[in-house]
Amino acid sequence: MYSVFTKNAPAPSGPYSQGSSAARNVYISGQYPLMSDSKTLVQGTISALTQQTINNIEAILTDVDLTLQDICQATLYVCDFATLPEIDKVWEANFEKPYPARTVVKVTELLYDSPLCVDAIALR
């Protein structure tokens, strides 16, 4: 197993890696809609926040020569299920069929006062 790290996505806020790789699996830690050079939450609509989160995941995958299309499973943590239609529009614009499996979990609060967080598993 080895750790995955890129400067093109936000650095971890604690004792964990942006991702880790074991055999064919690449596990991406929960990503937030943060600017890659800071711990600043992107301002804007839920669509803009979702896109930034996906951009951060894509940057981590790029560092290990993978793309969003290599994601086989994602977990989406949201504070409000009412945001799902807008999130789904951004998701559909970034992923091709067959879409990765996805679980959506409603939570009461996330780090950085973020409305969403996404973790993912990709395969080589």
Side-chain angles (χ1 to χ4, degrees):
M1 183 178 90
Y2 66 89
S3 181
V4 177
F5 179 79
T6 179
K7 293 179 183 176
N8 297 321
S13 62
Y16 60 90
S17 300
Q18 288 171 326
S20 61
S21 180
R24 295 183 58 216
N25 301 330
V26 177
Y27 302 91
I28 306 297
S29 294
Q31 295 299 303
Y32 293 88
L34 301 174
M35 300 301 296
S36 62
D37 58 352
S38 69
K39 296 276 191 271
T40 305
L41 198 68
V42 170
Q43 298 299 306
T45 64
I46 190 66
S47 295
L49 295 167
T50 303
Q51 186 61 57
Q52 182 63 46
T53 303
I54 292 171
N55 292 349
N56 292 340
I57 292 170
E58 186 172 36
I60 295 166
L61 290 171
T62 298
D63 199 61
V64 292
D65 298 321
L66 296 176
T67 70
L68 292 174
Q69 304 323 310
D70 294 307
I71 292 176
C72 63
Q73 196 282 328
T75 303
L76 176 62
Y77 303 90
V78 298
C79 293
D80 185 357
F81 281 146
T83 61
L84 280 177
E86 289 302 312
I87 291 170
D88 284 343
K89 287 179 189 176
V90 176
W91 197 266
E92 188 172 17
N94 284 274
F95 292 92
E96 299 171 5
K97 291 182 179 180
Y99 299 120
R102 188 179 82 178
T103 300
V104 178
V105 179
K106 184 177 180 186
V107 296
T108 57
E109 186 177 24
L110 289 163
L111 290 174
Y112 312 106
D113 264 342
S114 176
L116 79 154
C117 175
V118 179
D119 65 29
I121 301 170
L123 292 178
R124 296 182 190 278

